[in-house]
């Protein structure tokens, strides 16, 4: 059976169950390539890249910069190498879309000799933002030419300023700890807090890493959960406070994104919270009144397309993201660039 299939993996380990599913669904299909989401590409990798042992070694060096994601992303690559030897694999980086931002957006104000080691602002959730930028011309033809903030709000949360479809600023920086509060991460944090934890609380680096990646954000503020659904269903005042804080910080950072853009024409909600929480969207839009944002309650409750009232001076939209589709597209493009031949794929056994 001549049937080509590209498998886009976002970090799940490919095992016998998936192989069996492919065999049962597609019979004698060949896997031509496997695409992976890899959170951090560092200073070296600014576009999707076919994985080699050297690339894999470079990406392992970046694990301390994305400890929640990078190890599992790379473990998936190694698992596929064992299961489907010889099949090309493509690493698609969440940092790539933000490369090429203005120098003032990328710089970290440390001595230059420190920054030469790759210490800079990278930005993340790039596959999601790239997808949104790719579909905006279809769902909102007037917006791609304008100044747009895209809010990727989920357990991991960030915002990106798009000008003519390109990233010019992001709330995340050197690591995925920066910017907005998240499910278990604090977002923007005075570096002095880390020094205080080291010096006064006698915490070591491992303890601080565990705290910052696993115990802060909505979970730390509420003392209940890192899940917005749990907090919205709770009568505990701390749950409400955590939600209010999240909306407050989104609005504050929206002001920063708008400043980078020189104004604002549209605001797009995406990802788990952005797509599925009318309550959180309402909280946030209320705080964007200075931009003339006015929500249509009925459209917001429906949660699709434009949710702006006719009187709103900016467009407000809910656009579902599709990072897996971007991975598949990049994987195909990388194979085409390498002039890979379909006959080189591995038949599913």
């Amino acid at each position: 059976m001549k049937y080509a299939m590209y498998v886009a993996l976002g970090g799940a380990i490919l095992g016998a169950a998936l192989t069996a599913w492919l065999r049962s669904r597609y019979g004698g299909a060949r896997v031509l390539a496997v695409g992976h989401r890899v959170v951090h590409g560092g200073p070296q990798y600014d576009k999707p890249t076919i994985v080699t042992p050297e690339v894999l070694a470079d990406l392992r060096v970046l694990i301390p910069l994305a400890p929640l994601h990078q190890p599992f992303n790379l473990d998936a690559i190694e698992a596929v190498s064992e299961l489907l030897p010889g099949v090309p694999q493509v690493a698609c980086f969440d940092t790539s879309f933000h490369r090429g931002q203005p120098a003032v957006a990328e710089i970290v104000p440390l001595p230059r000799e420190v920054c030469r080691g790759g210490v800079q602002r990278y930005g993340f959730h790039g596959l999601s933002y790239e997808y949104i930028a790719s579909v905006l011309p279809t769902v909102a033809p007037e917006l791609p030419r304008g100044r747009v903030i895209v809010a990727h709000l989920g357990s991991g949360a960030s915002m990106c300023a798009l000008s003519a479809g390109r990233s010019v600023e992001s709330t995340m920086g050197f690591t995925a700890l920066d910017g907005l509060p998240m499910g278990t991460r604090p977002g923007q944090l005075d570096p002095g807090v880390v020094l205080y934890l080291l010096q006064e609380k006698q915490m070591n680096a491992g303890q601080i890493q565990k705290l910052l990646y696993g115990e802060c954000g909505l979970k730390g503020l509420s003392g209940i959960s890192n899940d917005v659904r749990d907090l919205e269903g709770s009568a505990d005042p701390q749950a409400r406070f955590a939600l209010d804080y999240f909306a407050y910080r989104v609005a504050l950072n929206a002001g920063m994104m708008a400043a980078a853009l020189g104004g604002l024409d549209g605001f797009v909600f995406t990802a788990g919270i952005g797509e599925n929480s009318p309550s959180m969207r309402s909280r946030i839009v209320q705080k964007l009144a200075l931009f003339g944002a006015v929500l249509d309650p009925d459209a917001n409750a429906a949660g699709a397309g434009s949710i702006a009232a006719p009187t709103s001076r900016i467009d407000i939209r809910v656009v579902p993201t599709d990072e897996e589709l971007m991975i598949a597209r990049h994987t195909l493009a990388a194979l085409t660039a390498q002039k890979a031949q379909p006959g080189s794929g591995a038949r599913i056994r």
Side-chain angles (χ1 to χ4, degrees):
M1 174 181 177
K2 296 182 179 179
Y3 195 103
M5 179 179 181
Y6 294 90
V7 182
L9 294 180
I13 298 299
L14 181 64
L18 181 53
T19 305
W21 179 83
L22 288 169
R23 186 174 60 247
S24 67
R25 181 110 182 227
Y26 298 105
R30 284 186 171 88
V31 176
L32 298 185
V34 180
H36 300 261
R37 176 196 182 203
V38 178
V39 166
H40 214 308
Q44 185 172 353
Y45 297 103
D46 60 357
K47 61 181 179 296
T49 301
I50 291 181
V51 177
T52 65
E54 293 75 22
V55 168
L56 197 58
D58 290 341
L59 298 179
R60 286 213 173 275
V61 173
L62 301 172
I63 285 176
L65 306 187
L68 282 188
H69 304 89
Q70 198 88 347
F72 305 103
N73 301 157
L74 304 185
D75 286 348
I77 293 173
E78 292 191 337
V80 173
S81 295
E82 294 178 5
L83 188 65
L84 300 172
V87 171
Q89 298 188 71
V90 178
C92 304
F93 304 102
D94 259 343
T95 49
S96 294
F97 184 66
H98 303 292
R99 301 303 297 275
Q101 288 181 346
V104 291
E106 289 188 334
I107 194 71
V108 172
L110 294 174
R112 291 191 178 273
E113 58 268 23
V114 176
C115 294
R116 287 191 192 103
V119 178
Q120 66 177 70
R121 300 186 73 251
Y122 290 100
F124 298 89
H125 295 132
L127 291 165
S128 176
Y129 294 127
E130 186 178 13
Y131 175 78
I132 298 299
S134 76
V135 298
L136 275 183
T138 300
V139 302
E142 71 289 349
L143 271 187
R145 298 186 296 273
R147 301 158 297 182
V148 181
I149 295 172
V150 182
H152 178 105
L153 306 180
S155 182
S158 69
M159 290 195 294
C160 177
L162 292 181
S163 177
R166 294 180 61 87
S167 171
V168 298
E169 184 59 88
S170 174
T171 56
M172 282 183 170
F174 181 56
T175 71
L177 284 172
D178 199 11
L180 304 179
M182 294 165 251
T184 61
R185 288 169 270 172
Q188 183 182 1
L189 188 70
D190 182 344
V193 173
V194 177
L195 294 176
Y196 172 80
L197 296 176
L198 282 167
Q199 297 168 356
E200 302 300 323
K201 294 298 185 180
Q202 303 298 304
M203 295 177 69
N204 61 38
Q207 291 171 321
I208 293 174
Q209 177 174 291
K210 181 179 178 181
L211 173 72
L212 295 181
Y213 279 97
E215 302 297 332
C216 298
L218 295 176
K219 180 180 178 181
L221 283 173
S222 69
I224 298 171
S225 175
N226 66 326
D227 194 317
V228 164
R229 293 168 295 185
D230 295 337
L231 300 181
E232 288 179 338
S234 173
D236 192 308
Q238 289 305 112
R240 179 178 179 83
F241 180 80
L243 295 170
D244 286 342
Y245 179 81
F246 183 83
Y248 172 70
R249 299 304 300 188
V250 170
L252 285 183
N253 279 266
M256 180 176 72
M257 297 292 104
L261 290 166
L264 187 61
D265 301 306
F267 192 98
V268 176
F269 289 96
T270 195
I273 299 169
E275 295 172 27
N276 299 302
S277 177
S279 173
M280 183 54 71
R281 292 195 296 263
S282 179
R283 289 171 187 263
I284 292 169
V285 173
Q286 286 175 21
K287 296 180 182 299
L288 301 179
L290 76 161
F291 299 114
V294 183
L295 198 66
D296 180 325
D298 293 334
N300 183 46
S306 177
I307 59 173
T311 55
S312 182
R313 295 204 304 269
I314 66 169
D315 197 356
I316 311 166
R317 290 189 173 263
V318 178
V319 181
T321 193
D322 195 338
E323 294 157 293
E324 290 79 9
L325 179 58
M326 290 310 308
I327 294 169
R329 288 174 176 172
H330 284 311
T331 300
L332 176 59
L335 282 189
T336 301
Q338 290 290 320
K339 298 181 180 178
Q341 298 299 316
S344 65
R347 187 175 295 277
I348 299 166
R349 297 182 296 274

